[in-house]
Amino acid sequence: MSALLEISHLRVEVPTRHARLVALDDVSLSIRPGEIMGLIGESGAGKSMLGASVTGLLPSPARIAAGEIRLEGERIDNLPPAAMRHLRGARIGAIFQDPMTTLDPLFTIGEQLMETLRAHRPLSRAEARAEALRWLVEVGIPAPEPRLESYPHEFSGGMRQRIVIALALCAGPRLVIADEPTTALDVSVQAQIIALLRRLAREKGTAILLVTHDMGVIAEACDRVAVLYAGRLAEVGPVGALTQRPRHPYAAGLMASIPPVDRRLPQLPQIEGAMPRLAAIPAGCAFHPRCARALPHCTAERPPLMPGESQAACWEPIEHVHG
Ligand SMILES: Nc1ncnc2c1ncn2[C@@H]1O[C@H](COP(=O)(O)OP(=O)(O)OP(=O)(O)O)[C@@H](O)[C@H]1O
Ligand SMILES: [Mg+2]
């Protein structure tokens, strides 16, 4: 059992008055200890839904309709809310784009950090305070001592996000789900946070699922990358292969839309059209209406993940000539 997180055949549905929309469809993904998995895809692809499925924070009425999620071998997709809450503090750290979803406006950040620390580790108040200070330094809060007594609203947005990151990491989780954790931060802070996540993965073997729009962050931080399209996995593989030799036409289009860092990637046209709404996902491959390579078969049958340097859900994956 080498996977720390194992998602198998996950299906998330959103019931509406007219239909049961499928927000995630047969998604399988695993992350090993110490591995940083990037998750990319355009807005509405299901990245946050995937993260929320793991943390047990799916927005109502979305629900897991099929599949399994395992953390260190143990099923966590069907835990009662209280057990899930405990897991979230102790073994899974969650970082979201908006820090105020995590912080309690009524308590000082020192109180919040110390409470989280003491809920999961047998620390005295003095020890918890010292540890809280250490974490504030770790996430780059200058002169943290007096800041322990401050309330969330007394910090800038960037500082608040660093505190959320400290809160998510301080209990020593085995898995971190970070949903656009650095989007609101300026570039130097972003680099610092990414470096912190990498160090955590390397030194503590923490597995990290990192949702981001930023291909620079992907290249800098991730070991592997997964590409979602209309709630389905389009491609997953090592970061180098996937960014330089994408096999799924959608992944290739995504890569072509960013400035080339490596000239081996041929110039591909940007993708025309838009991702389908959940209520209108076409038959066969969800990408076929936008795909220049689509064959008649692509309109009829959904492609499985094809093995290769990376795995691509495509009947006709792009071949790359090596050399
Ligand atoms: N609370 C909700 N109720 C119903 N549908 C939702 C809800 N939240 C998201 N969805 C739908 O689920 C799908 C996936 O949304 P999700 O938020 O996971 O996308 P995303 O990839 O995280 O996008 P973004 O890059 O904009 O954050 C979208 O079609 C979205 O409209
Ligand atoms: Mg999102």
Side-chain angles (χ1 to χ4, degrees), residues 6 8 10 64-80 83-84 87 91:
E6 183 141 40
S8 350
L10 181 68
I64 295 177
E68 285 186 8
I69 302 174
R70 288 177 186 270
L71 182 68
E72 297 178 305
E74 177 202 343
R75 265 190 89 164
I76 60 165
D77 54 273
N78 52 7
L79 293 178
M84 199 63 220
L87 198 70
R91 288 166 65 202

Side-chain angles (χ1 to χ4, degrees), residues 159-271:
M159 287 292 166
R160 277 202 287 265
Q161 186 63 314
R162 299 192 214 193
I163 294 160
V164 166
I165 292 167
L167 270 171
L169 304 183
C170 69
R174 302 296 299 134
L175 172 72
V176 171
I177 306 288
D179 193 343
E180 313 238 18
T182 60
T183 306
L185 305 181
D186 68 50
V187 176
S188 66
V189 181
Q190 176 171 312
Q192 193 181 359
I193 298 297
I194 295 303
L196 174 65
L197 292 177
R198 284 185 53 164
R199 190 147 45 82
L200 210 66
R202 197 177 56 237
E203 290 173 6
K204 302 218 159 75
T206 311
I208 299 173
L209 181 69
L210 179 60
V211 177
T212 179
H213 278 113
D214 186 331
M215 289 307 299
V217 168
I218 291 285
E220 183 69 20
C222 297
D223 303 300
R224 286 196 299 145
V225 185
V227 181
L228 275 183
Y229 185 81
R232 303 171 181 188
L233 207 54
E235 185 163 351
V236 58
V239 64
L242 203 142
T243 55
Q244 285 160 30
R245 295 175 297 282
R247 298 175 70 225
H248 193 290
Y250 176 66
L254 268 189
M255 297 311 148
S257 67
I258 57 162
V261 281
D262 185 324
R263 288 286 157 199
R264 267 181 292 172
L265 188 67
Q267 263 314 304
L268 294 153
Q270 296 219 6
I271 316 163

Side-chain angles (χ1 to χ4, degrees), residues 76-149:
I76 60 165
D77 54 273
N78 52 7
L79 293 178
M84 199 63 220
R85 248 192 323 275
H86 179 77
L87 198 70
R88 226 168 17 241
R91 288 166 65 202
I92 304 178
I95 309 170
F96 305 101
Q97 188 172 348
D98 176 7
M100 288 319 279
T101 56
T102 305
L103 296 173
D104 189 327
L106 301 179
F107 292 89
T108 67
I109 64 123
E111 287 166 326
Q112 295 184 54
L113 275 165
M114 286 165 66
E115 190 198 302
T116 301
L117 282 161
R118 295 185 76 193
H120 303 290
R121 288 162 57 190
L123 300 174
S124 70
R125 272 193 68 79
E127 286 166 338
R129 190 185 155 87
E131 185 73 6
L133 272 177
R134 199 179 67 72
W135 272 102
L136 291 183
V137 172
E138 190 89 73
V139 296
I141 298 210
E145 182 103 50
R147 314 285 350 226
L148 283 178
E149 266 59 69

